[in-house]
């Protein structure tokens, strides 16, 4: 219809102008280039598409404001200066620099446009030169061209934001109310991610929720188990709730690689690194800190990977995760990052540096937070060729006051281990021997909670033993060390107390020649698994440190990972897909009894859902521990019932299976009988189907092998 | 009891077969000589010489007079069991993978591998009573499955042929018309190559082993899945006890990956499962390479296994075995 109408209109115009339409070859008409003479294309779609391109097409243009206003004579000079500044950052497009001039005064207007080849370069230029001081009066103000549109759209009048009505959310802690006090875990195998209950009583997992392609790289629980985080190309997402695992929030961060929750799970740190446009540059790193509940970006950090590489004074290259380490316990009050000759401590009230300054520490190598208090432990190596000793110091935040310091000599390396309650700090110190050819190891033990923070030095009986692993008893006063050089090292247990004196460290025992290279304390303390992973094929020894006795030894062949459940009742050992075979996991009781095993091909992850800290007061806990017998009776009875029920069920199941099989086989037998004649016919009338009526007959067969004639001489006398 | 180690092959074993009386054991290997042994004491009786390639499979007639073998030299041969004399050769254009005599020994089904442009195929041949009447002519040639067909067996009353192979699908064909009657469905079926297929004594059900680390038991008529047995390693061979409700599953880590890890990583075990409850009963270790072949003596009192290591291990069960209760 529209076409007809248009045609009619054209014809009318033609007759008005006296043009014979039939004499004109419409195809020969050429419009001047770049000018459509106001004729709109009738192709609506094309028009739309062009428009779309327009919208994004300005992504690589920036607007630089606050330039000096110069007359015509100085125009070229200014242009030169700007070009010089901005071409350092990226390649400016040909004709990509445009500085408008007021046609009346012939002076510049004090701003210019710069077009880069890529939006990334534009972004970088904006970041780097925003606030650049050309001179005192001219401080650059740089914006993305695209942003102008956004700014223009900001209404002049403030309108109160609409408050959406409150909808009660799901109880995110629902899983803690399980009547059987079970724990949940998540596994990732193949493309499936699955959340399951550990139903140890029934010796099997009980599925909660399963979803294929839930995440694009990995999943992670938040530290108190409220959320399950998944990773996607567009960003991260958290899921939770009663049983349905609904999506609670999304955090946009393109190409996110790593994530980290703050210990109180208030904040989520996301990290991505991007290939630079210029291969000589380091990768660009983008870090966002989100508020978990609102999904708002609280702070972002951008820069080249070099800025985020840890190692203080020219140490190791590469970014080590997490870049931001959270401190101050569960309040999520502070986070800090290691920089060159400094530690930057931020607070979460304002998301800015504490006192607006970083903590300056010359050549600092490493630092770590106390798990409970806002105390930093930091390590500075020897400087000036040994003239200035290495030191470990404890710094209080936010006062930045040094609480304690210890100088150490001829140190090659230090490692810090905090006990989970922040009561003790062990510093493993590797020192050079006199010849400087080898190192030996000792420990400096700090008692944080005591007055003046006393330090004790601990050396192993054989100083030259290599330390293979070290682990504090969670919430306890003991630690375990694997030491030795040979393939069967020794394991020693120490306590920070002696029988009489609580202020002295003492050795509890040494286990000789164990096949172990990793230590896994129960989260409740007291029990420990001495594990031989990797090269040792998954040897496990369940050890009771109270009684100093081995409870069980076992093996999960090729095991790669071990994780205790948050209550310390069960242990999961798993073989992940680093091995091709044996993929899957085993669940053990704390004393080393194998409860069940599940095999899964392409097994990637096994993670227990963490529990938040207990709400019981320490007194109450103690009371329960005292009257454990009373409580346990009830559970024992329950256990008994379940196991009775289980064996009953098992019996019934077996019976049912057998019956079913019997029925099936009998049916077949009937049919088989019916077909007997048929079979006989196939066998040319040979009767026997089964073993039955054949008799063994001894048949002697004589075979003539050879015939020879021999003349036997007759003996005559 | 201590197993009897039978060393006679120089290359990995491929197949084992007892005759009906259970006194002879035939073994095939990648060396070119199928061998016959006394099934009781493992003494070697003799070899069948004439093939010029790996021998993949064999079958023996009910009266233990004829042996048929399929080989990578693109032939299947008929032999006189007693004398070792070659009676007849069926020539193909690609390696013969599996052979099976029908009930009555008047027919044989032979499968051939895909080779060059040829697809895999099932050939049904008539086996003449009198060898002078034997022809190479095929009664029926069935084509269709993708990839190799690793095993084909006769169904009840020779009315059907059951096949399984690289495409992980079990097919049942009409042996008269060549029509495809049934296919196992993707959901319940195997996920990877089917490596072995054995019939129960009465032919009511059959067992398949697959590289997807499982063995499955099927109804011969309806092709419904009855049981699944899950192991930790790819399955190369399966067998069913004719006496007890036991199945044996053998396999192990892929031979090419064996030397790179701990010897225990291979799991070259023959695993026993309860046929009905699908539970593992026990395992027999000993081979130092994957198990490629398994066979039960028809009396159910011994079984033998053949490995990539070139050994045949003959196991006579201890009396305890017959009293296993779970």
């Amino acid at each position: 219809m529209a076409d007809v109408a248009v045609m009619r209109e054209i014809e009318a115009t033609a007759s008005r102008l006296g043009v014979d339409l039939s004499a004109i070859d419409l195809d020969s008409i050429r419009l001047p280039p770049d000018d459509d003479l106001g004729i709109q294309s009738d192709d609506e779609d094309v028009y739309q598409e062009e428009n779309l391109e327009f919208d994004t097409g300005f992504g690589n243009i920036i607007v630089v404001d606050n330039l000096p206003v110069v007359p015509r004579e100085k125009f070229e000079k200014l242009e030169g200066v700007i070009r010089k500044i901005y071409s350092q950052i990226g390649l400016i497009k040909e004709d990509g620099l445009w500085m408008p001039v007021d046609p009346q005064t012939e002076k510049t207007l004090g701003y210019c446009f710069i077009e880069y080849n890529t939006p990334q370069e534009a972004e970088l230029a904006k970041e780097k030169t925003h606030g650049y001081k050309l001179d005192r009066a001219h401080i650059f103000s740089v914006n993305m061209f695209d942003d102008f549109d956004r700014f223009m759209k900001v209404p002049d009048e403030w309108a109160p934001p609409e408050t959406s009505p409150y909808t009660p959310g799901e109880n995110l802690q629902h899983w803690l109310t399980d009547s059987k006090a079970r724990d949940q875990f998540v596994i990732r195998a193949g493309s499936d991610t699955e959340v399951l209950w550990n139903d140890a009583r029934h010796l099997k997992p009980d599925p909660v929720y399963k979803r294929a392609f839930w995440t694009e790289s990995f999943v992670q629980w938040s530290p108190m188990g409220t959320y399950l985080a998944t990773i996607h190309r567009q960003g991260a997402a958290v899921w939770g709730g009663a049983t349905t695992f609904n999506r609670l929030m999304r955090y946009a961060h393109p190409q996110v690689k790593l994530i980290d929750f703050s210990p109180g799970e208030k904040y989520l740190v996301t990290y991505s690194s991007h290939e630079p446009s210029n291969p000589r540059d380091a990768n660009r790193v983008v870090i966002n800190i989100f508020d978990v509940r609102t999904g708002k970006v609280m702070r972002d950090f951008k820069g080249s990977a070099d800025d985020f590489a840890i190692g203080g004074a020219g140490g190791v290259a590469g970014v080590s995760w997490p870049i931001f380490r959270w401190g101050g316990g569960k309040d999520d009050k502070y986070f800090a990052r290691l920089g060159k000759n400094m530690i930057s401590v931020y607070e979460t009230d304002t998301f800015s540096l504490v006192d607006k300054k970083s903590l300056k520490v010359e050549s600092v190598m490493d630092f770590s937070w106390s798990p409970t208090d806002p105390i930093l432990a930091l390590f500075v190596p020897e400087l000036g060729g040994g003239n200035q000793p290495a030191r470990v110091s404890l710094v209080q935040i936010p006062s930045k006051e040094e609480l304690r310091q210890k100088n150490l000599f001829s140190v090659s390396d230090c490692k810090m281990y905090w006990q989970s309650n922040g009561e003790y700090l062990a510093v493993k110190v590797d020192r050079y021997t006199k010849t400087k050819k080898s190192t030996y190891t000792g420990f400096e033990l700090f008692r944080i909670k005591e007055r003046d923070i006393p330090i004790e030095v601990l050396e192993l009986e054989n100083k030259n033993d290599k330390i293979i692993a070290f682990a504090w008893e969670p919430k306890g006063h003991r630690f375990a060390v694997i030491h030795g050089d040979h393939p069967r090292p020794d394991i020693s247990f120490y306590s920070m107390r002696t029988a009489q004196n609580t202020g002295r460290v003492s050795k509890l025992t040494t286990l000789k020649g164990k096949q172990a290279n990793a230590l896994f304390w129960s989260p409740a303390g007291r029990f420990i698994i001495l594990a031989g992973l990797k090269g040792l094929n998954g040897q496990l020894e369940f050890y009771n440190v109270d009684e100093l006795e081995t409870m069980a030894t076992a093996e999960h062949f090729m095991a790669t990972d071990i994780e205790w459940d948050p209550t310390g009742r069960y242990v999961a050992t798993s073989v992940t897909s680093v091995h091709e075979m044996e993929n899957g996991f085993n669940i053990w009781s704390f004393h080393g009894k194998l409860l069940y095993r599940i095999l899964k091909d392409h097994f990637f992850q096994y993670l227990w859902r963490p529990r938040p800290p207990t709400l019981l007061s320490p007194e109450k806990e103690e009371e329960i521990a005292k009257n454990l017998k009373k409580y346990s009776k009830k559970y024992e009875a329950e256990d008994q019932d379940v196991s009775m029920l289980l064996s009953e069920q098992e019996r019934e199941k077996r019976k049912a299976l057998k019956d079913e099989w019997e029925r099936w086989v009998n049916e077949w037998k009937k049919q088989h009988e019916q077909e007997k004649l048929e079979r006989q016919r196939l066998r040319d009338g040979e009767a026997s189907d089964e073993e039955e009526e054949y008799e063994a007959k001894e048949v002697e067969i004589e075979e003539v092998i050879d015939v020879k004639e021999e003349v036997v001489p007759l003996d005559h006398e | 009891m201590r197993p009897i180690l039978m060393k006679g092959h120089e290359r990995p074993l491929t197949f084992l077969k007892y005759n009906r009386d259970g006194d002879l054991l035939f073994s095939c290997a990648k060396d070119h000589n199928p061998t016959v042994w006394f099934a009781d004491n493992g003494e070697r009786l003799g070899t069948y010489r004439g093939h010029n390639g790996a021998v993949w499979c064999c079958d023996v007639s009910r009266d233990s007079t004829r042996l048929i073998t399929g080989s990578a030299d693109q032939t299947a041969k008929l032999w006189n069991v007693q004398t070792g004399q070659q009676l007849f050769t069926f020539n193909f254009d690609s390696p013969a993978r599996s052979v099976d005599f029908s009930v009555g020994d008047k027919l044989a089904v032979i499968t051939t591998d895909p080779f060059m442009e040829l697809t895999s195929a099932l050939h049904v041949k008539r086996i003449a009573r009198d060898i002078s009447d034997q022809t190479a002519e095929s009664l029926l040639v069935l084509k269709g499955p993708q990839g190799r067909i690793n095993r084909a067996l006769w169904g009840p009353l020779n009315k059907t042929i059951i096949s399984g192979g690289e495409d992980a699908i079990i097919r049942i064909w009409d042996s008269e018309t060549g029509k495809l009657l049934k296919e196992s469905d993707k959901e319940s079926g195997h996920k990877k190559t089917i490596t072995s297929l054995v019939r129960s004594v009465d032919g009511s059900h059959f067992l398949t082993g697959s590289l997807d680390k499982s063995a499955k038991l099927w109804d011969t008529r309806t092709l419904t899945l009855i049981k699944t047995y899950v192991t930790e390693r790819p399955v190369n061979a399966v067998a069913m006890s004719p006496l007890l409700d036991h199945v044996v599953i053998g396999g192990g880590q892929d031979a090419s990956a064996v030397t790179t890890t701990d010897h225990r990583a291979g799991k070259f075990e023959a695993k026993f499962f309860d046929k009905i409850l699908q539970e593992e009963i026990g395992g027999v270790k000993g081979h130092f390479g994957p198990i490629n072949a398994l066979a039960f003596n028809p009396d159910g009192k011994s079984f033998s296994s053949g490995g990539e290591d070139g050994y045949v291990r003959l196991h006579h069960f201890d009396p305890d075995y017959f009293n296993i209760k779970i």
Side-chain angles (χ1 to χ4, degrees), chain A residues 582 654 668 671 688, chain B residues 62 221 233 264 267 326:
Chain A
E582 305 274 349
R654 284 181 180 200
W668 244 96
Q671 196 148 10
S688 74
Chain B
R62 187 178 156 91
R221 272 157 217 256
R233 292 287 176 274
R264 286 171 306 167
K267 292 260 166 85
I326 62 165

Side-chain angles (χ1 to χ4, degrees), chain B residues 167-170 183-192 194 206 208-210 212-219 222-230 278:
Chain B
D167 58 2
I169 299 169
I170 300 163
E183 277 189 13
S184 61
D185 65 299
K186 283 244 160 51
E187 210 39 50
S188 63
H190 283 292
K191 302 283 180 283
K192 287 186 184 165
I194 295 166
F206 63 92
T208 54
S210 160
D212 66 6
K213 304 181 187 171
S214 73
K216 287 174 191 278
L217 196 72
W218 309 80
D219 187 315
T222 59
L223 195 62
T224 40
L225 179 66
I226 307 174
K227 306 278 175 192
T228 301
Y229 312 93
V230 181
Q278 310 178 49

Side-chain angles (χ1 to χ4, degrees), chain A residues 529-543:
Chain A
I529 295 175
L530 319 170
L533 302 179
K534 290 175 196 141
L536 298 176
N537 285 331
Q539 299 287 334
L540 308 169
E541 183 165 345
F542 294 77
Y543 192 79

Side-chain angles (χ1 to χ4, degrees), chain A residues 376-650:
Chain A
L376 273 179
L378 56 90
F379 162 62
V380 181
E382 271 173 37
L383 295 172
N387 285 333
Q388 217 175 319
R391 73 189 155 93
V392 170
S393 52
L394 294 170
V395 179
Q396 178 95 44
I397 301 293
S399 64
K400 299 190 180 176
E401 184 187 333
E402 193 161 77
L403 299 173
R404 191 74 162 87
Q405 188 206 20
K406 169 97 184 195
N407 285 339
L408 302 159
F409 296 92
S410 50
V411 169
S412 78
D413 194 18
C414 273
K415 260 226 156 80
M416 290 168 279
Y417 301 92
W418 284 91
Q419 183 252 19
S420 69
N421 281 358
E423 288 170 58
Y424 309 111
L425 168 68
V427 180
K428 185 186 102 181
V429 187
D430 294 333
R431 289 189 177 83
Y432 293 111
T433 50
K434 276 197 183 119
T435 58
K436 292 231 166 191
K437 275 187 185 140
S438 57
T439 59
Y440 66 97
T441 311
F443 290 96
E444 309 279 329
L445 303 167
F446 292 69
R447 293 168 195 276
I448 309 292
K449 297 282 158 88
E450 281 171 40
R451 217 167 70 91
D452 294 338
I453 309 183
I455 301 173
E456 201 169 341
V457 180
L458 172 71
E459 268 175 2
L460 296 175
E461 272 145 44
N462 181 359
K463 285 205 301 190
N464 296 326
D465 271 1
K466 215 171 78 190
I467 306 294
I468 296 164
F470 175 97
W472 281 103
E473 178 182 29
K475 302 177 197 160
H477 55 88
R478 294 176 287 209
F479 60 87
V481 186
I482 304 181
H483 54 94
D485 290 321
H486 34 95
R488 297 178 80 93
D490 300 341
I491 301 172
S492 296
F493 293 93
Y494 292 86
S495 167
M496 292 301 280
R497 303 171 187 160
T498 58
Q500 308 82 25
N501 191 341
T502 56
R504 280 196 66 76
V505 66
S506 65
K507 192 170 100 170
L508 299 170
T509 188
T510 295
L511 310 172
K512 293 271 184 208
K514 289 286 174 194
Q515 275 204 325
N517 52 17
L519 298 165
F520 296 90
W521 282 94
S522 155
R526 191 165 158 197
F527 306 110
I528 189 170
I529 295 175
L530 319 170
L533 302 179
K534 290 175 196 141
L536 298 176
N537 285 331
Q539 299 287 334
L540 308 169
E541 183 165 345
F542 294 77
Y543 192 79
N544 181 340
V545 185
D546 272 7
E547 310 293 333
L548 297 179
E549 65 181 14
T550 301
M551 296 184 294
T553 51
E555 184 192 53
H556 181 189
F557 187 58
M558 315 246 266
T560 54
D561 296 273
I562 296 181
E563 199 175 300
W564 283 87
D565 86 328
T567 60
R569 295 176 296 175
Y570 305 104
V571 188
T573 58
S574 48
V575 179
T576 55
S577 61
V578 285
H579 295 300
E580 210 176 301
M581 292 294 172
E582 305 274 349
N583 278 203
F585 62 92
N586 288 5
I587 302 289
W588 310 75
S589 71
F590 71 93
H591 54 267
K593 184 178 165 229
L594 180 60
L595 299 177
Y596 59 93
R597 70 181 305 192
I598 305 280
L599 294 172
K600 292 242 179 211
D601 268 355
H602 302 287
F603 191 72
F604 298 115
Q605 263 188 310
Y606 183 102
L607 291 173
W608 288 101
R609 187 171 195 170
R611 283 170 177 255
T614 169
L615 297 171
L616 298 175
S617 63
E619 295 80 40
K620 183 80 185 159
E621 256 185 83
E622 202 166 314
E623 192 208 306
I624 292 170
K626 231 188 241 163
N627 301 319
L628 201 60
K629 282 239 169 71
K630 196 175 87 197
Y631 292 101
S632 68
K633 244 189 208 130
K634 181 182 138 208
Y635 293 109
E636 267 159 23
E638 264 177 40
D639 277 356
Q640 189 107 36
D641 285 354
V642 168
S643 78
M644 291 271 279
L645 191 73
L646 263 188
S647 47
E648 187 62 34
Q649 274 174 356
E650 183 71 28

Side-chain angles (χ1 to χ4, degrees), chain A residues 59-179:
Chain A
N60 44 358
I61 301 179
I62 57 169
V63 184
V64 186
D65 208 349
N66 269 355
L67 294 177
V69 176
V70 293
R72 203 196 182 109
E73 308 86 77
K74 287 193 176 170
F75 181 90
E76 296 228 326
K77 193 175 174 197
L78 179 63
E79 200 187 50
V81 169
I82 293 168
R83 194 177 284 281
K84 198 171 159 195
I85 294 170
Y86 284 95
S87 58
Q88 282 172 359
I89 292 159
L91 199 63
I92 300 174
K93 264 196 182 168
E94 211 173 310
D95 296 328
L97 176 70
W98 181 49
M99 193 153 47
V101 177
D102 189 326
Q104 266 132 49
T105 58
E106 297 213 323
K107 281 185 176 176
T108 61
L109 291 166
Y111 56 86
C112 75
F113 301 90
I114 295 167
E115 185 175 5
Y116 281 106
N117 268 328
T118 63
Q120 284 81 16
E121 284 171 319
E123 180 96 4
L124 190 69
K126 177 196 155 190
E127 241 167 74
K128 284 206 167 170
T129 60
H130 183 69
Y132 179 86
K133 279 186 189 167
L134 191 64
D135 54 47
R136 195 178 294 169
H138 299 103
I139 298 169
F140 285 7
S141 158
V142 184
N143 283 297
M144 302 297 292
F145 190 87
D146 278 349
D147 290 342
F148 271 80
D149 247 7
R150 256 200 0 225
F151 296 151
M152 297 295 285
K153 280 191 191 136
V154 175
D156 293 338
E157 294 270 319
W158 180 78
E162 264 179 59
T163 37
S164 46
Y166 172 74
T167 46
E170 269 184 283
N171 179 4
L172 298 180
Q173 249 97 41
H174 184 270
W175 96 98
L176 292 170
T177 60
D178 182 48
S179 60

